[in-house]
Amino acid sequence: MAKDKAELLEKMAKSVVEMDDDLTVELAQEYVDQQYDGYDAINMGLAKGMDRAGQLYEEEEYYIPELLMCSDAMYSGLEIIRPHLKQQERSGKSKIVIGVVEGDTHDIGKNLVKIMLETSGFDVVDLGRDIPPIDFVEKAKEIHADLIALSTLMTTTMDGMEEVCQILKEQDLTERIKVMVGGGPISKSFADKIGAHYSEDATKAVKLAQQLVKEEIRC
Amino acid sequence: MISETRVQAVFNGKKPDRVPVFSFVGAYAATLAGIPLYEYYTNPGLAIELQLKARDLFGYDDGTHYGWADWGGWEFGGEIAFPKTRKEASPRTSANVINHVSQVDSLPVPDPVSAGMLPLIDKYNRQKIAMGEKAVIQGGSISLLAAGILGKTRLLRWYLREPSAVKVIYDKAADFVIAAARATIDRYGAVNCSVGFTAPMDTNDLISADIFHKFCFPVQARVNREIMQMGVDKFSIHLCGNHKHNLKLWAALPWPKRMLISLGPETDLVLAAETFGHRHVIAGNVSTSFLAYGSYEEVYNNTVQCIETGKDLPGGFIVMSGCEMPVLAPPLNVFAMVQAAKDVGGYV
Ligand code: B12
């Protein structure tokens, strides 16, 4: 018998938390076969699962390998759902350019932030690690990004973040492109000083990004 | 007391005049000399010379270091990028070796003399021996080599997705480390060698104690046992990052009776000393963030705090930077550690 929508959503969330790619795909397929709303599948199913996984990480129940497996399950469900999103839902997403600043190759935290942002419906372009400041700005201009998200774990490379903010200022882009920063040595006061916004972890980064694109926070 | 006798006293279980200071200055010596990091890392003789001068300048108590954490990739056939600028801090794997499970079984164990960083390490060792000091053997952790071979994120994912392939890689990495140890011992003699290693990929910032137990623990046990069987009994390990949940497992590995265990600021000194049973010398764990961009006072106060916590640990204590000295640390911050030890580190 066909499962109802709420039941499918809950099962999808659970299969993401339980890192089960195959089951997530199966449930997502069943969901689209029933012609339920695609956006809800992401928001109330897949993303909810990822959100719970994030909580388990904070509680030291899950670690990075588990989170990566959850995100694999989430992405495999997303593949099935994506073609069924209404056109407007697909193109209306806010865009973010993310990367690790020049000189630094610590990218595990950045990868987590990227996963959480994508899960929450952002269109994320990942430049990778060890990225010169100008490349962030060029890419953001090219794809009309709303936000640049910068990560670093080393104190020696923090000034790369400041440089990105500086270039945006010089090019008069600070209103159009907001900057979000994070990583071990980064603090709110550092972010304030360079004209960026700070969040301490991947889950909070999502909330911050949502506020920033809604323009609730101004520099 | 001079540095050497001060440190020796700690290792002999005696109280020195004051707590020794290990600054963990490696590549920072190149900053002090205004020399590009590239030159430092590719010229071990220069690395020694600059570190000795830096030691004279500050008056801390540790000897020289050489090498870098991100290894395994280059040695197994990948690529290394030496730092072009100072902020890059250290060499890093720029191309990994394995992209698909099908490549794992046929991955050859590299030559234990000529692979990757080993010829550079040997240049360093030759000079250390000429100075009457010990040659170093890179003992791991094996997870670092696995990360270099696979790429960090792929390793983390494969722990759960491809566990048998990961085990094969750990075994090959361990075979390589053991063979390289044997080559060094054959050349310089076991009594003239010491083992050093760091474990940033095993931190509980990344993995659970379960994963550490399943993958790293058994092979690291084999590596330690075999190297000790070859007659080496000088070990120093650096537990980089947060190892709170791994400590019991680390303590359960085969170790010599006494060694140096240094800790990052994220791991509690007393908890580590207790878990290892108060047999070993504990070193740590001044915040590298303070050292890099804090004020003199912040470093000084943090060092005082570490000394107060560690000074009377039964196995002995050395106050030490929580990781390698950040390459852009203001020089007075390094001096702040030494000054704090002079001011409050004395034993009566
Ligand atoms: C694993 C590790 C490595 C691995 C990196 C693997 C990789 N590809 O990422 C290896 C072994 C290669 C490595 C190398 C080095 N490392 Co290292 N490393 C670590 C370690 C132990 C854990 C880092 C980690 O991945 N944590 C887990 C992730 C999930 O956490 P996270 O990155 O902090 O991310 C979270 C938040 O910060 C936030 N966040 C992160 N980015 C962003 C971005 C935005 C926009 C937002 C909003 C939020 C956000 O959300 C994330 C999830 O919640 C740390 C210790 C530590 N306590 O951090 C040292 C550490 C970062 N390393 C350090 C150093 C010095 C080095 C080396 C220079 C060492 C050396 N001498 O060889 C080299 C650097 C090479 C280079 N130029 O890049 C120092 C940095 C000191 C400093 N303050 O400058 C640290 C802090 C160790 C220490 N205690 O001193 N390292």
Side-chain angles (χ1 to χ4, degrees):
Chain A
M1 205 192 78
K3 297 186 182 78
D4 76 6
K5 184 176 168 188
E7 187 186 353
L8 273 173
L9 289 171
E10 178 50 32
K11 286 205 159 140
M12 248 189 278
K14 199 158 167 251
S15 66
V16 167
V17 179
E18 286 171 2
M19 307 173 246
D20 192 335
D21 308 14
D22 293 343
L23 183 60
T24 311
V25 166
E26 210 177 282
L27 291 164
Q29 192 57 55
E30 202 176 332
Y31 185 93
V32 297
D33 289 347
Q34 303 284 335
Q35 297 183 334
Y36 295 136
D37 177 61
Y39 188 71
D40 288 349
I42 296 176
N43 241 356
M44 292 149 73
L46 299 173
K48 201 164 162 199
M50 228 24 235
D51 210 41
R52 272 188 223 155
Q55 278 164 20
L56 289 170
Y57 172 69
E58 275 168 32
E59 291 160 16
E60 296 189 324
E61 213 28 68
Y62 274 10
Y63 291 81
I64 311 283
E66 289 79 5
L67 282 189
L68 290 171
M69 294 289 282
C70 292
S71 82
D72 287 352
M74 188 269 301
Y75 281 118
S76 55
L78 210 53
E79 288 292 294
I80 309 285
I81 304 288
R82 208 175 264 141
H84 300 272
L85 292 175
K86 292 181 202 107
Q87 189 56 37
Q88 194 195 3
E89 284 166 357
R90 254 186 290 171
S91 57
K93 287 183 180 177
S94 302
K95 290 187 181 149
I96 301 182
V97 173
I98 195 169
V100 179
V101 297
E102 189 169 22
D104 192 356
T105 61
H106 292 93
D107 61 355
I108 297 163
K110 179 269 295 169
N111 291 343
L112 283 192
V113 175
K114 173 191 163 190
I115 288 166
M116 295 310 275
L117 289 170
E118 282 191 332
T119 316
S120 315
F122 287 98
D123 196 347
V124 185
V125 174
D126 183 1
L127 295 182
R129 54 195 195 170
D130 196 8
I131 304 301
I134 186 73
D135 291 12
F136 287 101
V137 179
E138 291 300 326
K139 183 50 92 181
K141 279 175 14 194
E142 180 195 321
I143 66 161
H144 302 286
D146 307 274
L147 247 177
I148 294 176
L150 304 170
S151 173
T152 192
L153 264 72
M154 301 205 304
T155 38
T156 48
T157 43
M158 287 162 66
D159 58 355
M161 296 178 159
E162 188 167 6
E163 225 174 292
V164 172
C165 295
Q166 197 56 40
I167 298 172
L168 288 173
K169 210 184 270 168
E170 280 159 16
Q171 301 193 10
D172 214 9
L173 290 168
T174 43
E175 274 301 304
R176 222 180 76 199
I177 306 170
K178 300 272 165 21
V179 178
M180 182 164 95
V181 292
I186 309 304
S187 60
K188 177 154 188 324
S189 65
F190 173 76
D192 289 345
K193 196 184 101 196
I194 65 170
H197 302 273
Y198 168 72
S199 154
E200 67 182 84
D201 65 35
T203 323
K204 292 188 189 116
V206 170
K207 292 189 188 106
L208 176 63
Q210 285 163 342
Q211 285 171 343
L212 287 173
V213 298
K214 273 198 237 141
E215 293 196 321
E216 281 177 12
I217 300 177
R218 292 198 168 271
C219 283
Chain B
M1 271 183 177
I2 59 165
S3 291
E4 218 180 320
T5 40
R6 181 174 296 128
V7 173
Q8 213 46 57
V10 177
F11 279 93
N12 292 340
K14 308 239 160 55
K15 290 262 188 274
D17 57 342
R18 65 159 168 83
V19 170
V21 182
F22 278 12
S23 60
F24 213 158
V25 160
Y28 179 64
T31 306
L32 291 170
I35 278 171
L37 289 179
Y38 176 86
E39 280 182 37
Y40 170 95
Y41 279 111
T42 52
N43 185 347
L46 179 70
I48 292 177
E49 183 193 326
L50 298 181
Q51 288 181 72
L52 291 177
K53 290 197 167 107
R55 181 168 73 173
D56 289 345
L57 175 68
F58 291 110
Y60 50 71
D61 302 300
D62 50 340
T64 62
H65 311 268
Y66 180 74
W68 52 89
D70 191 354
W71 74 303
W74 190 24
E75 288 65 28
F76 272 79
E79 283 165 30
I80 192 86
F82 286 96
K84 293 184 291 293
T85 62
R86 210 167 292 289
K87 59 183 177 182
E88 287 172 48
S90 83
R92 51 261 171 85
T93 307
S94 50
N96 304 113
V97 187
I98 298 279
N99 300 307
H100 193 265
V101 226
S102 62
Q103 299 167 297
V104 171
D105 282 337
S106 57
L107 177 73
V109 176
D111 181 79
V113 173
S114 62
M117 66 152 71
L118 294 179
L120 288 166
I121 299 281
D122 192 54
K123 268 195 194 155
Y124 175 79
N125 282 343
R126 238 176 290 155
Q127 192 159 335
K128 291 289 273 186
I129 292 290
M131 290 159 64
E133 296 183 22
K134 301 231 179 298
V136 294
I137 290 168
Q138 310 272 20
S141 91
I142 302 305
S143 306
L144 264 177
L145 288 99
I149 293 167
L150 274 176
K152 282 81 188 171
T153 302
R154 188 176 289 123
L155 171 67
L156 292 168
R157 182 177 264 117
W158 279 21
Y159 279 134
L160 298 176
R161 200 169 280 288
E162 303 288 354
S164 343
V166 172
K167 284 196 176 236
V168 173
I169 288 172
Y170 266 77
D171 273 333
K172 292 188 184 205
D175 290 345
F176 171 66
V177 167
I178 291 166
R182 186 167 291 120
T184 310
I185 292 165
D186 285 348
R187 199 165 311 141
Y188 301 110
V191 287
N192 295 318
C193 293
S194 68
V195 177
F197 76 78
T198 172
M201 285 304 295
D202 301 296
T203 139
N204 301 129
D205 296 311
L206 303 177
I207 59 166
S208 60
D210 274 356
I211 296 236
F212 176 66
H213 188 214
K214 193 163 161 202
F215 294 95
C216 189
F217 185 86
V219 286
Q220 196 66 57
R222 172 160 75 91
V223 169
N224 292 10
R225 202 177 306 117
E226 291 205 23
I227 295 180
M228 286 195 300
Q229 274 163 4
M230 292 181 225
V232 180
D233 68 350
K234 294 265 174 307
F235 274 62
S236 69
I237 66 169
H238 177 61
L239 301 183
C240 190
N242 166 18
H243 285 268
K244 188 170 63 180
H245 303 303
N246 289 342
L247 282 174
K248 284 204 179 99
L249 291 165
W250 281 117
L253 283 170
W255 299 113
K257 273 206 198 70
R258 221 160 142 64
M259 63 172 171
L260 179 76
I261 301 168
S262 66
L263 303 157
E266 303 85 351
T267 306
D268 187 68
L269 293 173
V270 176
L271 180 69
E274 275 167 4
T275 315
F276 275 90
H278 291 302
R279 278 165 38 205
H280 304 288
V281 178
I282 299 291
N285 53 0
V286 177
S287 158
T288 42
S289 296
F290 282 151
L291 283 162
Y293 72 108
S295 63
Y296 179 94
E297 285 71 28
E298 280 170 319
V299 176
Y300 183 93
N301 292 336
N302 187 224
T303 309
V304 169
Q305 232 171 35
C306 292
I307 292 173
E308 281 168 355
T309 310
K311 196 176 170 196
D312 294 317
L313 286 172
F317 178 68
I318 291 170
V319 71
M320 179 164 162
S321 161
C323 197
E324 197 172 327
M325 184 61 68
V327 289
L328 295 180
L332 281 184
N333 285 3
V334 183
F335 181 64
M337 283 178 70
V338 180
Q339 192 57 48
K342 283 184 181 162
D343 292 348
V344 305
Y347 291 103
V348 270

